[in-house]
Amino acid sequence: MASLMVIRKRIASVKSTQQITKAMKMVAAAKLRRAQEAAQSARPYAEKLAELLRNVAARAADVPHPLLATRDVEQTIDLIAITSDRGLCGGYNANLIRAAGNFLAAHQSAHVRVTAIGNKGLGHFRKTGADIIEEHTHLPVGPTHALALELAARVARDFADGTTDRVYLLYSQFRSAISQVPTVEQVLPVERPPQQDGPLADYIYEPDAATLLDRLLRQYITTVIDRAFLESIASELAARMTAMENATTNASEMINRLTLDMNRARQAAITTELMEIVSGAEALKG
């Protein structure tokens, strides 16, 4: 059994760690509510924009657009992978990295170019030798709308000029505080809706169908990336809150076990001292 001094030092160390994990849990919980509201409020807008884009694309089926073009041979694929800059969030990054590995394994025949957002994903892709064409790390408040605009413009340009044949997003979809699902979503090409039976009611376009379709497509790409950012931020905070809560609980259990060991060690030491005193007294009598 360890000495009393060693056990006391371990208890003090665990208590100090518990204070840190408890504080991190409270910070993550305070930020999670705002992040959750932002992610959930972005969903109706994204869904309505997608519906509007489908309607316009269906009625303007004869209008060609490079962002709607499908290619039979996919030689180059872009993957925008969103992870966190920091750890201490349970299996959040590990699940995303595993999903990235599955994606790369499924597309071995193509050249996959990676845009790494977050230090954890960047470190993994560097170790595996992936082709990293762009990286964004150490973001103070996470990926922002400005970054979404920048990425949307770049992937649209690369797809239109044939630099890449398909673009995917890898992010963690927020479902609840204890459930975050790694998700791979296709960004480009934007899929045209299937042809519907019967006549379609047409729109009055201003300025014209081609210009409106182009603006909607670019806005749609930005919205998809921006929504993935918001989902990722909420998922990371939820995962960190849960992980720190579990760590705080484990620290309490460890403190209880160490306290029990300390009491046993102290009792054993007292018993030993009493036996020595009694033995000494008996020796003096003899």
Side-chain angles (χ1 to χ4, degrees):
M1 184 178 294
S3 66
L4 282 171
M5 184 176 296
V6 173
I7 296 177
R8 287 194 181 102
K9 285 184 178 179
R10 289 187 62 187
I11 291 176
S13 176
V14 174
K15 284 183 176 180
S16 177
T17 302
Q18 185 185 39
Q19 290 178 352
I20 295 173
T21 57
K22 188 175 181 179
M24 292 182 67
K25 171 199 167 184
M26 294 175 64
V27 171
K31 293 181 178 179
L32 174 60
R33 183 175 180 180
R34 294 192 297 269
Q36 180 178 349
E37 290 176 353
Q40 292 176 342
S41 62
R43 292 173 185 173
Y45 174 78
E47 292 170 359
K48 197 64 180 179
L49 180 62
E51 179 185 349
L52 177 61
L53 176 60
R54 286 193 298 267
N55 292 336
V56 172
R59 288 161 176 78
D62 57 337
V63 178
H65 197 283
L67 300 183
L68 295 170
T70 57
R71 294 157 192 167
D72 297 333
V73 179
E74 297 177 358
Q75 297 180 346
T76 305
I77 295 175
D78 275 20
L79 175 65
I80 303 174
I82 308 170
T83 58
S84 69
D85 277 328
R86 299 181 299 158
L88 298 177
C89 49
Y92 172 78
N93 289 303
N95 293 335
L96 287 169
I97 288 172
R98 188 180 303 111
N102 295 337
F103 179 89
L104 295 175
H107 295 84
Q108 292 181 352
S109 59
H111 173 213
V112 180
R113 309 190 310 169
V114 177
T115 298
I117 301 175
N119 194 47
K120 295 298 181 180
L122 176 61
H124 168 75
F125 290 122
R126 281 178 175 172
K127 290 179 182 178
T128 58
D131 182 14
I132 303 172
I133 61 170
E134 195 172 333
E135 59 186 66
H136 300 274
T137 59
H138 303 99
L139 305 173
V141 294
T144 60
H145 178 67
L147 179 57
L149 288 170
E150 178 185 337
L151 288 176
R154 196 261 297 169
V155 297
R157 183 177 63 251
D158 288 352
F159 183 83
D161 62 21
T163 303
T164 185
D165 300 312
R166 200 171 286 267
V167 180
Y168 290 92
L169 263 175
L170 171 62
Y171 66 98
S172 183
Q173 184 181 15
F174 177 83
R175 289 189 178 177
S176 68
I178 58 174
S179 177
Q180 303 87 38
V181 182
T183 303
V184 177
E185 182 176 348
Q186 178 179 315
V187 181
L188 288 170
V190 178
E191 296 181 354
R192 283 186 182 270
Q195 294 292 335
Q196 300 179 4
D197 297 333
L200 294 174
D202 202 358
Y203 293 127
I204 298 176
Y205 300 103
E206 179 64 34
D208 56 76
T211 302
L212 178 61
L213 183 61
D214 179 73
R215 291 181 180 177
L216 282 176
L217 283 169
R218 298 183 187 280
Q219 181 64 28
Y220 172 75
I221 296 169
T222 303
T223 303
V224 169
I225 298 176
D226 201 15
R227 178 185 173 185
F229 287 171
L230 295 174
E231 297 275 352
S232 297
I233 292 172
S235 296
E236 179 187 349
L237 290 172
R240 178 167 290 112
M241 183 188 71
T242 303
M244 292 302 98
E245 182 178 5
N246 293 335
T248 303
T249 302
N250 293 337
S252 297
E253 294 176 355
M254 184 177 293
I255 289 171
N256 292 335
R257 289 196 302 268
L258 289 172
T259 302
L260 182 60
D261 291 341
M262 183 183 66
N263 292 335
R264 287 175 178 172
R266 184 167 54 188
Q267 185 178 8
I270 293 172
T271 302
T272 302
E273 290 177 1
L274 288 174
M275 290 179 64
E276 290 175 353
I277 292 173
V278 171
S279 298
E282 289 296 328
L284 289 175
K285 288 180 181 180

